[in-house]
Amino acid sequence: MDEPLSFWEHIRNIYESTVFIYGMTMLLCYALLAILSFIGIRRAQKRDSYSDYKKLLGSPLAPGISVIAPAFNEGVTIIQNVRSLLTLNYSRFEVIIVNDGSTDDTLEKLISEFEMVQVDFAYNEKIKSQPVRRIFKSANLAYDKLVVVDKVNGKSKADASNAGINVSSFPYFLCTDVDCIIEKDTLLKMIQPFMHEEGNRIREVGDPCPECGYIHVVEENRRVIAVGATLRMVNNCEVEEGVITRMRPPRALIPRFQEMEYIRSYVLGKLGWSMINCVPNVSGGLGLFDKEVCIKAGGYDPRSFGEDMDLVTRMCTYMRDNKQKYAVRYIPSTQCWTEGPPNLKIFSRQRTRWGRGLIQIMSIHKKIIFNPKYGRLGMVVFPYNLFFEFLAPIVEITGILYYIYIVVTGQINWHYALILLLFVYLYAVMITTFAILWDQITYRYYKTWREVIGLAMMAFLEPIIYHPLIVFFALRGYYYFITGRKHVWGNMQRQGFGRAKPQAG
Amino acid sequence: MWQDFNSYLLEYPSLDAAIYYFINLPLVIQIACVFIVIAFLATLFAYGSILVRRFKGGRRDRRMSVIIPRIDTLLTEHIILNEGLSENIPIDQIQLPLEEFRIPLLRSRFGKQMLIDRIVSYKKSFTGSIGALLRQLYLELELDKVSFKKMKSPKWNRKVQGMIELTDMDMSISDVNILPLTNSKNRELRAEARNAYIKLSKNEPFKFFDIVTEPLLMWDQIELFKTITTTEEISIPNFARWVTYSSNKSIVSFCLKLIVHYNQQDAAPAVMRLLENKDHVLRANAINCLGKLRYEEAEDKLVSIYSNQPLNCQIEILKALGRIDTGGHVLFLRQEFLHSSDFDIRKNAAKSLIKTTGVSQDLIRELIDTGTAENKLILKHCMNPLIKF
């Protein structure tokens, strides 16, 4: 007859079963996202095969877009980057550069290069930001789309973006970083989801209003409030006049892993979520937003460490609180190229901040979690983020400690342990490889098949090298948040873009 | 009790040993084993697919790099530089060297599609006799049949592709074929069918405005606007008809934009009636339309309803007064500028005051001298020619 299990054996069984179910659920979610994103890519491809986005170019009906790019000490590259933004393909847009109290010659360069003159601008502070000192417009008609805002440093991109939103004239704004390289057709492509779902249908509610005599109406259609697109690393790409002329995966290990991670996160993850209207976040590097909803939601929070996710969450809660249907969408094509952290030190700082941002968002918006009032946001987006983004590093570290414990106490069944490890390892490799395949279906990025396969092969190294780092930095972020450690904003030294240097000899 | 795989091998042949080994594993490990096999095979499949895609894509690029210059040479030689065009021979009497286009390179499905794409692309760039000759070539090579065949495809995107090709080549599609598609359940197909119908229908190009029940999305409106305003020989109706009778708000809203574009002054009374509409978005559109039409008779009405309107309509009224520019409501604009608590109201009132030709510089100076610091800044903002908005 079997001996009854001891208390600790019960605990152990419960822990093992829970972790297995947790892991399986996460893996199934990834599989679901892979299927959904594939459907999304095929749908986008079909539409792209006949859509002529250029019809927007000459149309007087095209909605206006303000491109907002905060700049802090970007003197080295600012002129080239602003020129690149000014040549975007779109008929109605303005470029707002927010000089966030730079201590270098960023502002002086802008003033002299673009013939900027100070103007009496009626600045309406709809969203709080550090004081705006001066606003400039160009005296040269060739740069009439350019606005430069000079403000007191707010120690965050969020604060600078808020000032830019206050100055903006158009109903949509594109938030980006001044050092990002944006594809020329970005505005044409990213405005599409807004126009494909927006219909301004309204429904009358109640009796005629005693004050105005009209029956009040509520908007019934689904309003797209934010759109994102895929981002990639510009490290090792060749750039000429703000245009990528030769695309290649980064050579250095950290940015190379990041490229692979971004492809998985955007092409497979966010596009999959977009299909069921559960996008949790629109990247701070590139996002197109409905300005009215953003302002009503309070704009960016300068105290947030994950200001992009925080903004999208508040915009979504605003829509739910006001009983309006909304959508946050992603498009599969890569529209933005950003410089990834080139070394471990800068990378650790970035990921620690992200970890800190995630726990902050979870604590600030805890009322949303499992709250049916918030619909998918409360029942899908936040629970997923809680369990599979926020808790994942914690579960992983407990798993590692548990492994060490059973190894030390000789309780491990090496045979089963290796099967389980192989299972998780191969599954992770499979998901990443599919992400790269989906990406290749979207467009044949990179010049040679060796570059693609080389990038895909990184999936075999990721669980051993890159993933442990991510887990460690995330946990460090949580720790810093819990202990209230002061955050120090670091400035990433830009490597700059350029043509490939000729090989010596 | 767990047994090592080798112990099964001692008792059974290898395949049976593997089966018994698997059956006796705990459920969790069994699941893991299944997923290991799936993940391994799927990863191999993904690598294979990447390589095949790259290979096919590369081959396609190479074929295109051969075919497209060949097509371009043929089109330049036989169409653009056609001697018959310079001799003013009627298009239908020009003998096209069709055999030159029936080379093996262009006989495959891929080659034919490339040829259609290039002809369509050239047709967009050339109007007049060259455009007509391109159409003639498209017909004589029987490429229209390829496009019509696409329209019969069960796949909606093929249908759309065929329809676009036919529309771009000015081919007529019978109403019977196209009208049902204007109410298709597929949104993309429906939108494209409406576009094609407007461009190709010889009788009543705007007929579907009467029957459409779903909203016209912004993108649909942009496509339709482009088609309507660029199609030659289209008879433009008075859009007041739909402003008055259509129950579809997006159609009404779209017609207001067309009324402005075609400056249909006689539609203004119909637009005026929309000021009574309960939908504030539509009211704002109507006010915007009246302002852009510079319909002077609307001014008094706009001012009289102003106080009962939501903010978006109030702003449109202020803008409209600036556009209509009779100078009859300067005091009203001044009052709104001085006393409104809303920033946008003050800014738009100031803009309209400055735009109004009848307003003297003295009044502006007085407002600057006596206004609050913020109001002064608003006025200077509006007066600065460098600032557009």
Side-chain angles (χ1 to χ4, degrees):
Chain A
M1 205 169 140
D2 290 343
E3 278 186 35
L5 295 176
S6 72
F7 173 73
W8 286 111
E9 280 171 329
H10 270 301
I11 294 289
R12 196 178 134 179
N13 281 347
I14 291 170
Y15 175 79
E16 283 181 359
S17 308
T18 311
V19 168
F20 186 78
I21 293 166
Y22 171 86
M24 284 304 292
T25 314
M26 187 194 263
L27 299 182
L28 288 174
C29 283
Y30 286 148
L32 187 69
L33 283 176
I35 295 166
L36 287 171
S37 57
F38 181 71
I39 297 168
I41 287 167
R42 297 292 295 167
R43 200 174 282 178
Q45 272 193 321
K46 278 184 182 175
R47 184 175 285 164
D48 285 352
S49 70
Y50 67 86
S51 280
D52 185 5
Y53 296 124
K54 291 197 171 59
K55 278 184 185 165
L56 259 177
L57 282 178
S59 178
L61 309 189
I65 301 173
S66 303
V67 178
I68 300 171
F72 176 72
N73 288 352
E74 305 276 357
V76 180
T77 54
I78 191 78
I79 301 301
Q80 188 189 345
N81 295 336
V82 172
R83 281 194 185 282
S84 172
L85 289 175
L86 286 171
T87 53
L88 289 171
N89 285 343
Y90 200 68
S91 51
R92 294 187 71 207
F93 77 104
E94 61 179 348
V95 175
I96 301 170
I97 305 296
V98 186
N99 175 48
D100 195 17
S102 294
T103 51
D104 68 353
D105 57 352
T106 302
L107 184 63
E108 289 71 28
K109 279 189 168 172
L110 285 169
I111 290 172
S112 67
E113 181 70 23
F114 298 107
E115 299 166 47
M116 306 305 288
V117 289
Q118 191 178 340
V119 289
D120 293 311
F121 195 98
Y123 178 76
N124 184 19
E125 195 180 58
K126 288 179 178 165
I127 314 170
K128 280 273 170 214
S129 77
Q130 287 294 313
V132 166
R133 287 192 284 236
R134 292 171 294 173
I135 294 175
F136 299 86
K137 287 281 297 177
S138 177
N140 187 339
L141 266 181
Y143 307 123
D144 67 341
K145 286 181 160 56
L146 181 62
V147 184
V148 172
V149 180
D150 179 33
K151 67 177 274 289
V152 174
N153 181 257
K155 294 188 171 61
S156 69
K157 185 188 162 191
D159 191 73
S161 300
N162 284 344
I165 295 166
N166 289 334
V167 170
S168 64
S169 316
F170 293 123
Y172 297 101
F173 72 91
L174 181 95
C175 211
T176 184
D177 294 325
V178 79
D179 55 300
C180 284
I181 292 182
I182 296 179
E183 288 282 315
K184 296 292 171 217
D185 59 356
T186 295
L187 300 180
L188 288 174
K189 283 194 172 171
M190 288 184 73
I191 197 71
Q192 293 296 321
F194 288 97
M195 296 196 296
H196 280 302
E197 292 188 50
E198 187 265 337
N200 273 337
R201 245 191 311 189
I202 53 144
R203 181 166 54 91
E204 293 174 350
V205 283
D207 298 322
C209 170
E211 284 179 20
C212 67
Y214 291 107
I215 301 174
H216 285 187
V217 294
V218 289
E219 288 188 29
E220 207 180 28
N221 65 310
R222 191 151 57 178
R223 180 170 177 173
V224 176
I225 57 171
V227 171
T230 305
L231 271 79
R232 254 170 222 267
M233 299 290 123
V234 75
N235 311 44
N236 294 114
C237 289
E238 283 170 32
V239 183
E240 246 177 86
E241 302 287 326
V243 177
I244 308 259
T245 51
R246 169 73 165 90
M247 224 177 273
R248 61 164 73 86
R251 288 195 197 100
L253 205 59
I254 295 285
R256 197 172 170 85
F257 276 126
Q258 271 198 299
E259 173 108 337
M260 184 199 67
E261 184 194 24
Y262 273 31
I263 292 171
R264 188 177 57 214
S265 164
Y266 288 105
V267 179
L268 193 137
K270 290 197 172 124
L271 192 65
W273 288 125
S274 175
M275 291 295 291
I276 50 170
N277 195 18
C278 287
V279 176
N281 179 22
V282 170
S283 164
L286 186 76
L288 186 57
F289 298 89
D290 182 316
K291 188 170 88 175
E292 188 191 356
V293 178
C294 171
I295 289 173
K296 283 180 175 164
Y300 285 100
D301 182 357
R303 292 158 304 175
S304 176
F305 296 107
E307 70 280 353
D308 45 6
M309 185 173 178
D310 177 71
L311 175 67
V312 173
T313 304
R314 277 185 294 108
M315 286 172 78
C316 294
T317 48
Y318 168 81
M319 296 300 280
R320 290 295 307 187
D321 287 339
N322 288 281
K323 298 185 172 51
Q324 291 185 45
K325 290 179 186 172
Y326 72 91
V328 180
R329 298 288 185 218
Y330 252 85
I331 59 170
S333 57
T334 301
Q335 300 298 142
C336 178
W337 306 78
T338 182
E339 200 175 328
N343 57 46
L344 196 60
K345 191 181 168 196
I346 299 171
F347 176 67
S348 76
R349 210 159 55 199
Q350 183 197 54
R351 292 310 165 108
T352 305
R353 185 167 69 87
W354 287 11
R356 208 169 168 158
L358 186 60
I359 186 170
Q360 188 186 41
I361 285 163
M362 285 295 145
S363 56
I364 290 174
H365 299 288
K366 56 182 177 286
K367 65 165 187 182
I368 297 171
I369 304 168
F370 288 120
N371 188 343
K373 182 187 155 193
Y374 290 101
R376 292 175 198 207
L377 182 69
M379 303 307 284
V380 180
V381 179
F382 262 72
Y384 178 87
N385 273 286
L386 173 68
F387 287 114
F388 302 126
E389 295 288 345
F390 170 64
L391 285 180
I394 298 168
V395 173
E396 281 188 50
I397 202 74
T398 62
I400 290 167
L401 293 175
Y402 180 72
Y403 251 93
I404 294 169
Y405 166 73
I406 57 173
V407 168
V408 169
T409 56
Q411 298 177 61
I412 193 164
N413 180 331
W414 280 109
H415 199 78
Y416 290 169
L418 288 174
I419 288 177
L420 286 172
L421 278 176
L422 185 64
F423 157 46
V424 176
Y425 178 78
L426 279 182
Y427 198 91
V429 170
M430 176 189 78
I431 290 294
T432 306
T433 316
F434 270 103
I436 303 229
L437 172 60
W438 283 190
D439 184 52
Q440 287 292 306
I441 292 173
T442 305
Y443 181 76
R444 264 187 300 129
Y445 294 103
Y446 314 123
K447 198 173 172 184
T448 67
W449 64 269
R450 284 188 194 86
E451 286 173 346
V452 185
I453 297 297
L455 187 66
M457 298 289 263
M458 297 302 284
F460 289 96
L461 294 178
E462 190 204 10
I464 306 157
I465 302 172
Y466 188 69
H467 189 72
L469 290 175
I470 301 266
V471 171
F472 173 72
F473 297 138
L475 289 170
R476 191 164 76 172
Y478 299 169
Y479 174 73
Y480 285 175
F481 179 79
I482 292 162
T483 55
R485 185 169 157 151
K486 197 166 177 247
H487 179 75
V488 182
W489 289 89
N491 191 23
M492 185 172 124
Q493 190 60 48
R494 301 288 167 196
Q495 313 288 301
F497 317 121
R499 302 182 67 166
K501 291 188 182 77
Q503 299 286 316
Chain B
M1 186 68 192
W2 178 71
Q3 268 184 282
D4 187 72
F5 180 60
N6 290 332
S7 61
Y8 287 96
L9 278 176
L10 294 174
E11 294 178 44
Y12 306 101
S14 55
L15 182 64
D16 290 350
I19 292 168
Y20 283 119
Y21 172 73
F22 180 76
I23 288 169
N24 288 315
L25 286 172
L27 178 66
V28 168
I29 305 298
Q30 280 180 343
I31 293 171
C33 287
V34 170
F35 273 92
I36 285 171
V37 175
I38 292 172
F40 179 72
L41 294 176
T43 306
L44 278 184
F45 168 76
Y47 270 94
S49 299
I50 290 172
L51 290 172
V52 168
R53 276 194 162 267
R54 298 284 315 187
F55 174 72
K56 280 188 177 172
R59 196 178 59 179
R60 186 187 150 91
D61 287 351
R62 282 192 297 276
R63 286 177 73 187
M64 278 171 72
S65 68
V66 174
I67 291 180
I68 290 178
R70 184 87 181 101
I71 297 173
D72 286 351
T73 312
L74 286 171
L75 290 177
T76 310
E77 216 171 288
H78 302 297
I79 305 295
I80 298 168
L81 303 176
N82 191 295
E83 286 175 4
L85 291 178
S86 52
E87 289 162 16
N88 289 328
I89 300 172
I91 298 297
D92 51 355
Q93 288 172 25
I94 293 177
Q95 289 292 316
L96 290 169
L98 297 180
E99 287 314 308
E100 297 276 347
F101 290 88
R102 286 184 178 137
I103 52 175
L105 199 62
L106 302 179
R107 248 183 231 154
S108 67
R109 197 174 147 187
F110 179 77
K112 269 188 186 162
Q113 189 54 50
M114 285 293 104
L115 185 57
I116 292 176
D117 290 347
R118 291 311 285 166
I119 292 176
V120 167
S121 167
Y122 273 66
K123 176 81 170 51
K124 279 180 185 170
S125 309
F126 293 99
T127 51
S129 53
I130 295 178
L133 199 56
L134 284 163
R135 186 174 179 273
Q136 186 77 2
L137 175 72
Y138 176 76
L139 281 170
E140 289 186 13
L141 288 173
E142 298 184 332
L143 296 173
D144 57 323
K145 286 184 181 165
V146 180
S147 304
F148 274 115
K149 202 175 163 190
K150 281 183 196 160
M151 274 196 69
K152 285 177 187 152
S153 164
K155 292 179 183 169
W156 66 263
N157 58 315
R158 298 274 297 162
K159 273 192 179 32
V160 170
Q161 207 185 3
M163 204 153 29
I164 291 174
E165 283 167 11
L166 292 166
T167 318
D168 287 340
M169 293 310 297
D170 298 332
M171 298 297 299
S172 62
I173 312 173
S174 66
D175 288 8
V176 185
N177 283 334
I178 211 163
L179 255 185
L181 298 180
T182 62
N183 268 325
S184 160
K185 280 180 185 168
N186 184 299
R187 205 196 68 74
E188 279 85 358
L189 183 56
R190 192 169 65 227
E192 213 45 61
R194 287 169 185 170
N195 237 340
Y197 187 74
I198 284 192
K199 199 161 181 188
L200 304 175
S201 175
K202 299 286 174 244
N203 308 319
E204 290 180 89
F206 296 94
K207 192 173 172 182
F208 80 86
F209 274 21
D210 297 324
I211 52 171
V212 63
T213 49
E214 311 85 10
L216 282 181
L217 302 184
M218 264 308 287
W219 179 245
D220 300 344
Q221 294 191 23
I222 280 170
E223 287 203 306
L224 283 175
F225 192 88
K226 173 100 180 171
T227 307
I228 294 168
T229 54
T230 55
T231 305
E232 292 165 11
E233 298 168 12
I234 190 171
S235 60
I236 299 298
N238 187 341
F239 294 104
R241 176 176 145 196
W242 291 285
V243 168
T244 308
Y245 296 111
S246 178
S247 57
N248 185 329
K249 286 175 182 169
S250 63
I251 289 281
V252 176
S253 172
F254 183 53
C255 286
L256 290 173
K257 290 165 193 163
L258 289 165
I259 286 170
V260 171
H261 181 82
Y262 289 105
N263 196 20
Q264 292 186 337
Q265 291 290 335
D266 48 352
V271 180
M272 282 286 282
R273 284 193 288 276
L274 277 182
L275 298 179
E276 306 298 328
N277 196 286
K278 288 167 186 170
D279 180 349
H280 67 96
V281 178
L282 212 51
R283 273 204 313 279
N285 289 343
I287 297 165
N288 181 287
C289 175
L290 290 167
K292 286 178 177 167
L293 287 175
R294 298 185 163 205
Y295 189 59
E296 293 182 7
E297 287 82 346
E299 265 197 336
D300 292 342
K301 174 76 177 170
L302 293 177
V303 173
S304 72
I305 64 169
Y306 180 84
S307 57
N308 289 336
Q309 298 300 313
L311 184 65
N312 63 332
C313 293
Q314 286 188 331
I315 288 175
E316 283 300 337
I317 289 174
L318 295 172
K319 283 182 186 171
L321 294 178
R323 284 172 181 142
I324 296 170
D325 187 20
T326 61
H329 291 280
V330 172
L331 284 178
F332 169 75
L333 290 171
R334 182 177 178 272
Q335 180 193 316
E336 284 306 301
F337 173 67
L338 288 174
H339 303 299
S340 174
S341 56
D342 187 277
F343 182 91
D344 290 327
I345 294 272
R346 276 182 288 147
K347 190 172 155 187
N348 281 288
K351 268 188 183 174
S352 291
L353 266 176
I354 289 161
K355 245 188 201 175
T356 307
T357 37
V359 174
S360 67
Q361 286 302 309
D362 292 342
L363 173 63
I364 303 293
R365 198 160 299 121
E366 178 213 318
L367 288 172
I368 291 176
D369 292 343
T370 58
T372 61
E374 191 175 60
N375 278 358
K376 272 184 203 171
L377 196 58
I378 289 176
L379 280 168
K380 286 180 180 171
H381 175 116
C382 299
M383 290 161 73
N384 194 324
L386 295 178
I387 306 173
K388 277 190 194 166
F389 305 101

